[in-house]
Amino acid sequence: MKRGLWQKAEVNRSASVFLKRELWKGKNIRQYRKDLPVVTILLVAAAFFIFVMLERIGSTNDISFMYEHGALYAPAVLEGKEYYRLITAAFLHFGAAHLMNNMLGLYLIGERLERMVGKIRYLLISSMNLSKISAGSQMSDNQK
């Protein structure tokens, strides 16, 4: 019985060494936190949070519900001067599949870009592109 416990302890110790070597790759906790794509994670978390909150009070598949909560609609922006829709639309997703696809893309591209340009520049790039992506999406929908 003692030998079994000793073997389990040895397995746990070797698993710990493996995790330290492979996951941390010699980094201390500060270096690891520095490499985390914090901005990307926060953007993804914000989109998930907004989606869950909207699903609790209505349906994200309902066009009128989403319009009431800031979805992008070109006449509302151009004629109604509701420019806030250019920003809010970036965080609104019609259904879970739409959310998952967009967040997967955001994470895969965002985490690499954030590491390449740094957190501050990535935040600036992301904030500038929120309205451009929303406006571009609306323009492509209008051409159909």
Side-chain angles (χ1 to χ4, degrees):
M1 182 111 170
K2 289 182 181 179
R3 184 175 178 161
L5 290 175
W6 181 80
Q7 287 174 335
K8 287 180 184 178
E10 188 62 34
V11 168
N12 289 338
R13 188 178 8 241
S14 60
S16 173
V17 169
F18 171 78
L19 287 174
K20 285 179 183 176
R21 188 174 348 117
E22 292 301 315
L23 296 178
W24 293 88
K25 297 190 180 175
K27 300 176 184 177
N28 63 30
I29 191 72
R30 287 185 183 147
Q31 290 170 323
Y32 185 75
R33 280 197 335 226
K34 184 179 177 187
D35 289 344
L36 267 177
V38 176
V39 176
T40 302
I41 291 169
L42 289 175
L43 289 172
V44 169
F48 271 107
F49 177 76
I50 291 167
F51 180 80
V52 168
M53 297 314 292
L54 288 174
E55 276 293 321
R56 290 188 71 178
I57 60 174
S59 173
T60 57
N61 289 316
D62 181 13
I63 293 173
S64 61
F65 173 78
M66 293 297 277
Y67 176 79
E68 291 170 10
H69 291 89
L72 186 63
Y73 181 59
V77 174
L78 298 174
E79 297 163 11
K81 309 241 186 277
E82 297 176 4
Y83 300 115
Y84 67 91
R85 291 182 181 276
L86 293 171
I87 303 299
T88 57
F91 292 98
L92 299 180
H93 297 85
F94 283 84
H98 181 211
L99 175 73
M100 295 304 283
N101 285 325
N102 282 12
M103 294 307 101
L104 178 63
L106 172 62
Y107 186 79
L108 291 176
I109 294 169
E111 69 100 13
R112 287 181 177 88
L113 184 60
E114 184 174 344
R115 288 173 198 221
M116 284 173 38
V117 300
K119 294 175 187 346
I120 303 297
R121 285 186 184 146
Y122 177 69
L123 183 60
L124 293 172
I125 291 168
S126 297
S127 61
M128 287 188 299
N129 284 325
L130 287 178
S131 60
K132 291 178 186 176
I133 291 169
S134 297
S137 170
Q138 184 65 37
M139 288 175 60
S140 70
D141 287 347
N142 288 341
Q143 292 175 355
K144 291 180 184 176

